[in-house]
Amino acid sequence: MAKFKLIQNPTFKADVMIPRVGGDPMKVPFEFKYLDRTELAALYADWEDRHKALGLKIEDMDLKEFTAAQIDIQVGQIKSVVVGWGFDEKLTDENIRILVSSIASTPSAVLAAYSEAFSQARLGNS
């Protein structure tokens, strides 16, 4: 009989399809932080607050300022959940910014894979 621990591992792995300009998306392994339901709700609430705050400032920003602010938020989001990745470059603040700045849909792909891992676990498909 398989043993099940009530305490989850502190990290988990999931593949992310990273978009590439002029090419097919590339599957890259990521290692994510595990958060329990309360921690996850607090994290998502913080993200929502940051997006709302940015939305309130949007009329006072030009496109360059808005993009820079959005990138800052997304860098923070990635940093809050990613502990490792399968790129040749090390996981550093600078490299996270490079990843987030590369293609607009990249942060969404990473965060969707993170969220999907929790959805699969909830549904018993992992």
Side-chain angles (χ1 to χ4, degrees):
M1 175 184 234
K3 291 188 177 187
F4 180 82
K5 294 180 183 180
L6 293 176
I7 306 300
Q8 298 289 318
N9 292 328
T11 65
F12 62 91
K13 295 180 180 181
D15 291 330
V16 179
M17 297 303 290
I18 299 295
R20 297 184 310 153
V21 173
D24 292 331
M26 182 176 202
K27 186 188 308 185
V28 178
F30 274 70
E31 185 172 2
F32 294 104
K33 291 179 189 176
Y34 167 78
L35 300 174
D36 67 21
R37 290 175 61 191
T38 302
E39 294 166 328
L40 197 58
L43 179 68
Y44 286 164
D46 180 58
W47 292 357
E48 182 179 9
D49 290 345
R50 290 179 186 200
H51 281 286
K52 283 180 184 177
L54 180 58
L56 295 175
K57 297 177 187 175
I58 196 167
E59 291 183 14
D60 299 328
M61 302 173 123
D62 64 21
L63 183 57
K64 286 176 63 176
E65 292 170 324
F66 175 76
T67 300
Q70 193 174 41
I71 287 171
D72 287 344
I73 289 172
Q74 292 168 332
V75 166
Q77 289 175 310
I78 300 297
K79 285 176 57 174
S80 65
V81 298
V82 174
V83 296
W85 61 23
F87 294 112
D88 291 338
E89 295 82 5
K90 291 184 178 184
L91 179 68
T92 64
D93 289 356
E94 179 181 355
N95 286 335
I96 291 171
R97 185 165 295 279
I98 291 169
L99 176 70
V100 168
S101 299
S102 66
I103 298 174
S105 60
T106 299
S108 297
V110 175
L111 297 174
Y114 181 74
S115 180
E116 180 66 22
F118 280 93
S119 295
Q120 288 178 358
R122 185 182 70 236
L123 297 173
N125 293 332
S126 62

